[in-house]
Amino acid sequence: MTDLTEAIQRGWATADADAPEPAVSYFRDLLAQHPRDRHALFAYASALDFADREADAVPAYEQAFAAGLDRDDLRQGLVQYGSTLRNLGRFDDAVTVLRQADNQFPGHASVNVFLALALSSAGRCPEAVRILITLAVDRIDSDELQQYQRALRSYAADLTK
């Protein structure tokens, strides 16, 4: 584990949702020490998002993406960025970003849930419900639900025909 990775973990370990600005300051200082590092950029973007400073987080996320986030950070970053865009009322942009995440990382529940939220916000509720029904059938371990799997998949498909 690198010193930067440990510093990022320490920063998140002490982050307080009720008082997020110290986390923002911590990660801003860490970024100043590692100005082009993709992990420092992503941590700072995430801290801004954590502090409900979505408008400030957008360019920070974009810098982190440009720096070349690796697989897990990229998936998490796309989810967070898509959610941020949705919170800013940029619904179509959010859907685009979250579809990219779904294409690159199929099968991730968090991607599907945030995509469904963005679709709903964009007024595309049938598509959002289709995604959530499919997620439920694929992921919820319930004999009762599985009993209706064929019908639910068919109904889900019909929602977006």
Side-chain angles (χ1 to χ4, degrees), residues 16-115:
D16 180 355
D18 293 327
E21 284 306 317
V24 172
S25 295
Y26 176 88
F27 287 110
R28 182 178 37 246
D29 292 346
L30 195 59
L31 180 57
Q33 296 168 29
H34 306 274
R36 290 179 192 73
D37 186 277
R38 62 188 179 192
H39 300 291
L41 285 161
F42 179 52
Y44 179 59
S46 298
L48 290 166
D49 209 353
F50 177 74
D52 295 326
R53 293 174 49 186
E54 285 92 349
D56 296 329
V58 167
Y61 279 127
E62 291 168 353
Q63 290 175 355
F65 294 135
L69 293 179
D70 56 22
R71 187 164 178 78
D72 287 338
D73 283 347
L74 179 58
R75 180 182 44 78
Q76 183 180 349
L78 290 170
V79 167
Q80 291 173 197
Y81 182 55
S83 177
T84 293
L85 293 171
R86 179 185 160 274
N87 289 339
L88 292 171
R90 295 174 55 187
F91 306 134
D92 291 335
D93 292 337
V95 168
T96 298
V97 166
L98 291 161
R99 281 211 190 283
Q100 176 189 348
D102 190 41
N103 289 334
Q104 286 185 259
F105 307 101
H108 282 270
S110 62
V111 172
N112 290 146
V113 170
F114 280 95
L115 176 56

Side-chain angles (χ1 to χ4, degrees), residues 5-26:
T5 301
E6 289 175 1
I8 290 170
Q9 289 176 347
R10 278 193 308 275
W12 286 118
T14 61
D16 180 355
D18 293 327
E21 284 306 317
V24 172
S25 295
Y26 176 88

